[in-house]
Amino acid sequence: MDSQGGDARGERRSGGDGRDDPPGRAGGGKGQVDGRALLAGVIVPLVTPMDRPGRPSARAADALLGALAAAGARGLMLFGSNGEGPLLPTAQLGDFAAGVATRWRELTDGGRVLVNVTAPGTAEALERADAVRAAEPDALVLSPPIYFHHRHDEIVAHYAALAGLGVPVVAYHAPRYGNPLTPALLDELTGLAHLVGIKDSSGDLALFGHALEAARRRDDFGVSQGAERQALDALRLGADGVVLGVANLAPAATVELFRAHREGRDGDARRAQQRLDEVLALHTVRPGVPAVKAVLAERGLCPPHVAAPFTPCSDGERKALLDLLAPLDSHLIRA
């Protein structure tokens, strides 16, 4: 497991050498995956480097992966909102996922790779899961269906449909993009054996607290925070880890946030959260992935290409982004 991956809700299993046991690759014959270990620490929801607009390229990701590993990150999530996943055709997912997963595990001695397969409907989610099978994901990540509003039982059935794949599933709660996970849904979903955790990006700390209560009914169900400005609040409530888009730009500060909290260095944890909040100001210039990629491109770590209908940052936006982040240069990712 990664060097920053402790357990915010109790001691984790550890091997005889004092290192944390990895959760075990899905389908690798290692038994039930421990969702708390799987989601512990920092997972980077990777942007998707492209060699031309809309075409993911594992080769184009190499420099960024090396920089993230050097900064202490040991977990990735592919094709989330930061990864432009819903904009990418299913046919383009497999080669990128497999190439990135192989390289990441080389760089991190077997670091975790989770792959988001969220789709409007169940059939497409299953197709996306099949498309990324060659990457041997440690878990699949799935939001409730997007676009249409669905009933409670339909959302449960959507998650239940992935039970036969032999890969653990993490629920991804980002209600601005689709159906919300209500407290009643959280209670029922934690009863699905193949569901091993939740990433909550709702920004609703009351709901996050309910997710933690539901998770505690099992000793193998992990909970991670995806709302960037509430990362430290969530860790204090008992989150196992964080999955923060800002970690693409400030991975060392994100790792320090988790380590400082785990080690009881509250002042350092508060300062790390403040640094992340300052970096997040880039979204006041240009919201979303194009801004993150523009900054990474200037640092030689990722082409600025995005998937349509996104468009790259203009020259004026790039200059404003660089001027805004210049005082934070020492905290940003380096090639």
Side-chain angles (χ1 to χ4, degrees):
M1 189 56 62
D2 55 294
S3 57
Q4 84 277 7
D7 181 1
R9 288 187 278 142
E11 295 183 2
R12 288 171 48 198
R13 295 191 301 272
S14 109
D17 61 0
R19 297 175 60 193
D20 294 322
D21 285 335
R25 185 91 356 96
K30 296 185 181 181
Q32 177 68 28
V33 168
D34 182 349
R36 294 173 67 185
L38 180 74
L39 293 179
V42 174
I43 296 175
V44 181
L46 188 72
V47 299
T48 300
M50 302 173 183
D51 57 11
R52 68 185 187 193
R55 190 171 77 174
S57 168
R59 179 173 296 182
D62 194 67
L64 179 57
L65 295 176
L68 290 170
R74 293 296 179 270
L76 294 181
M77 186 181 85
L78 308 183
F79 306 136
S81 54
N82 287 280
E84 302 167 79
L87 299 181
L88 301 174
T90 299
Q92 294 187 0
L93 304 181
D95 289 347
F96 178 85
V100 166
T102 296
R103 182 59 178 149
W104 183 248
R105 289 163 181 154
E106 291 171 350
L107 289 167
T108 60
D109 191 23
R112 296 156 290 166
V113 179
L114 289 69
V115 182
N116 183 28
V117 296
T118 293
T122 305
E124 186 180 345
L126 289 168
E127 288 179 4
R128 293 171 86 86
D130 186 62
V132 302
R133 184 174 295 275
E136 298 184 25
D138 293 284
L140 299 172
V141 179
L142 181 68
S143 291
I146 57 179
Y147 190 80
F148 290 109
H149 293 291
H150 287 279
R151 300 185 324 197
H152 176 111
D153 61 320
E154 293 171 333
I155 294 173
V156 173
H158 184 66
Y159 280 98
L162 274 66
L165 299 182
V167 185
V169 175
V170 172
Y172 180 11
H173 186 215
R176 61 178 172 166
Y177 301 130
N179 289 271
L181 290 179
T182 63
L185 274 167
L186 290 170
D187 290 340
E188 188 160 356
L189 291 176
T190 54
L192 299 177
H194 67 291
L195 204 73
V196 299
I198 180 173
K199 175 201 172 186
D200 177 38
S201 297
S202 69
D204 183 341
L205 285 179
L207 184 70
F208 189 81
H210 186 91
L212 287 167
E213 290 178 5
R216 289 192 179 105
R217 297 168 195 154
R218 290 171 49 179
D219 61 7
D220 64 344
F221 197 95
V223 181
S224 187
Q225 173 65 286
E228 295 162 315
R229 295 185 184 276
Q230 295 174 339
L232 181 54
D233 290 334
L235 290 171
R236 287 169 173 165
L237 285 172
D240 294 293
V242 293
V243 186
L244 307 180
V246 71
N248 284 282
L249 292 174
T254 309
V255 169
E256 170 61 8
L257 169 68
F258 184 85
R259 285 178 175 163
H261 168 75
R262 181 187 62 183
E263 295 167 4
R265 295 184 284 113
D266 190 62
D268 291 338
R270 283 187 285 106
R271 282 186 286 274
Q273 178 69 69
Q274 182 178 355
R275 284 193 290 270
L276 296 181
D277 291 346
E278 291 168 350
V279 174
L280 287 168
L282 90 163
H283 295 301
T284 64
V285 174
R286 170 72 184 268
V289 177
V292 176
K293 284 189 169 179
V295 176
L296 290 173
E298 290 293 329
R299 303 180 82 83
L301 292 170
C302 177
H305 305 309
V306 289
F310 280 138
T311 58
C313 288
S314 67
D315 290 342
E317 288 170 335
R318 282 195 296 273
K319 183 180 185 306
L321 287 167
L322 298 177
D323 289 347
L324 176 69
L325 295 178
L328 300 171
D329 182 75
S330 64
H331 301 299
L332 300 181
I333 192 170
R334 299 181 177 280

